[in-house]
Amino acid sequence: MIDVTVTVSLADVSSYRPGEPIPAEYFAQFRDAADTASAVMFNPPRFRHHVGAGETPADMAERAIAPMLARHGADLLDDVDVLIVNTPLPENWFVGNGGEIAARFGIVPEWLIDLSNGGCASFIHGMKLAREILQSTKANSALVVNVTNTAGQMFAQDRVLAMPQSAIPGDGAGVAWLTKSDQSPILDIETRHLPQYAGEMISVADPPRRYWEAGTGQHHIGFTESNIAKVLHRGNQIVPEVVRTVCERIDMQPSQLDLLVTNQPNRTFLQNWRDSLEVPAQRHPDTFEECGNLFGTAMPLTFDYAVTSGLVPEGAVVMFAGFAHAGDFAAAAAVRWGGRVSPRGASC
């Protein structure tokens, strides 16, 4: 049974950007100039990062949590009972990455979840699951881990590299630490599954084959002009909707939010969400120009950047929001940020 009197906080975040930044010019040399795919959807960022050769999701997760452990000490891991992991390209498709990441962290959590859905909004999906586990069990704390590793692998295949979609994604990892405390309370979370759109984001190859079948075709995301238009319309609509729902429940106007942190598919979405919610650009930080579309990692990595850069004062109401895939999931979560504080209450 969920005990709503138990307050769950987003105690800290940390992140990792692999390798050196790769400029947009690198991708221009491969791009087919005759390709008419939507320039709005695939207008490339200035830079992005790629997972290194042989670098695994567990490697990236271990590097992402390192700054957090440096701040709080390795004994932070002693009380972790919940580990939730999202990776779009698991190293082991059969068992996922959660077990290996737990082993790297040196923990044996009672709750270990490889979260396959949620996509670009999986950070919030993971927060909601973690909060409800913490409120309904004796679990003490949780880690939500996002690892994005498709840019330097799937999108770097020689035939896929020529497609406009290959210049948008970037790789990275983020870790969030949730605790039973009132340090940085999660004020409200809204999640919406829209399963009627779940089949619209597909992996295709030429010649056609299933992803597990042997063959010469290289798998990539099957974008068409018509489904790009649908995704743009849905994303522009459902993200402001979930933000407004949370704002209504916490008795705030979207324009009053101190910070809006979203996923970052492209510049158009970022601009449209700001305009719709009347949030100025200085209160909507993103890392798109440095990191590209980070999928589920965008929120923890961008928030880590914002906190580290001094953009998030103590007491700020932060709204996390985003949507997944072709619009089959949308979510928003509000947090009152209390600053980076050690488990014993001393400022870090």
Side-chain angles (χ1 to χ4, degrees):
M1 182 176 179
I2 292 175
D3 184 356
V4 295
T5 65
V6 174
T7 302
V8 175
S9 286
L10 174 61
D12 202 357
V13 290
S14 60
S15 61
Y16 165 67
R17 305 180 188 190
E20 294 297 320
I22 301 173
E25 290 75 18
Y26 171 79
F27 297 92
Q29 64 182 313
F30 302 107
R31 185 165 178 172
D32 182 356
D35 197 313
T36 59
S38 172
V40 172
M41 191 72 167
F42 300 126
N43 188 11
R46 292 177 58 241
F47 298 97
R48 84 280 297 131
H49 296 256
H50 279 184
V51 59
E55 190 171 30
T56 68
D59 293 333
M60 295 175 73
E62 192 172 27
R63 289 159 187 160
I65 200 173
M68 188 185 297
L69 298 182
R71 285 191 290 271
H72 300 280
D75 57 354
L76 173 157
L77 297 168
D78 294 343
D79 290 329
V80 173
D81 306 293
V82 184
L83 176 64
I84 300 173
V85 176
N86 174 265
T87 307
L89 195 62
E91 189 74 8
N92 187 323
W93 61 270
F94 201 76
V95 300
N97 296 118
E100 186 180 2
I101 290 173
R104 289 291 188 91
F105 289 177
I107 62 176
V108 185
E110 180 180 359
W111 299 83
L112 201 168
I113 301 170
D114 271 285
L115 190 61
S116 296
N117 66 333
C120 295
S122 57
F123 176 66
I124 303 172
H125 196 4
M127 284 177 61
K128 182 174 183 178
L129 291 172
R131 183 182 68 161
E132 300 208 2
I133 293 170
L134 292 177
Q135 288 180 326
S136 59
T137 72
K138 295 181 180 179
N140 295 298
S141 67
L143 293 174
V144 177
V145 178
N146 284 92
V147 176
T148 304
N149 60 342
T150 57
Q153 299 186 120
M154 188 178 80
F155 289 98
Q157 298 174 99
D158 56 1
R159 286 180 236 171
V160 179
L161 203 53
M163 300 177 181
Q165 61 181 268
S166 68
I168 292 291
D171 292 328
V175 178
W177 178 36
L178 278 67
T179 62
K180 287 180 175 178
S181 75
D182 59 1
Q183 174 192 329
S184 294
I186 299 172
L187 304 177
D188 193 73
I189 301 179
E190 172 74 5
T191 56
R192 295 183 186 176
H193 291 277
L194 302 161
Q196 64 269 34
Y197 305 131
E200 295 187 18
M201 185 66 73
I202 58 173
S203 174
V204 299
D206 185 19
R209 64 182 175 89
R210 291 263 184 86
Y211 75 90
W212 46 265
E213 292 179 316
T216 58
Q218 296 179 350
H219 273 275
H220 58 279
I221 296 174
F223 285 110
T224 65
E225 289 290 348
S226 62
N227 76 4
I228 285 173
K230 291 176 183 177
V231 171
L232 286 169
H233 174 71
R234 288 172 198 152
N236 286 332
Q237 182 178 46
I238 59 180
V239 172
E241 282 181 358
V242 289
V243 170
R244 290 190 180 99
T245 297
V246 171
C247 281
E248 184 176 352
R249 292 202 291 253
I250 64 173
D251 196 24
M252 287 188 75
Q253 293 297 318
S255 60
Q256 296 175 310
L257 293 168
D258 296 296
L259 213 70
L260 174 66
V261 180
T262 64
N263 66 308
Q264 48 191 39
N266 55 49
R267 297 182 188 88
T268 300
F269 275 124
L270 294 170
Q271 180 68 55
N272 289 347
W273 293 334
R274 286 196 295 269
D275 291 346
S276 178
L277 296 168
E278 299 181 348
V279 175
Q282 62 267 28
R283 287 194 268 131
H284 183 201
D286 67 83
T287 53
F288 180 76
E289 295 298 346
E290 296 78 31
C291 299
N293 181 1
L294 287 167
F295 305 136
T297 300
M299 291 185 215
L301 187 146
T302 299
F303 187 58
D304 180 33
Y305 155 76
V307 172
T308 303
S309 301
L311 302 177
V312 195
E314 291 185 20
V317 175
V318 181
M319 182 70 73
F320 297 95
F323 79 105
H325 311 125
D328 58 67
F329 180 72
V335 173
R336 188 178 298 279
W337 180 245
R340 281 181 166 146
V341 181
S342 78
R344 289 167 293 279
S347 297
C348 294

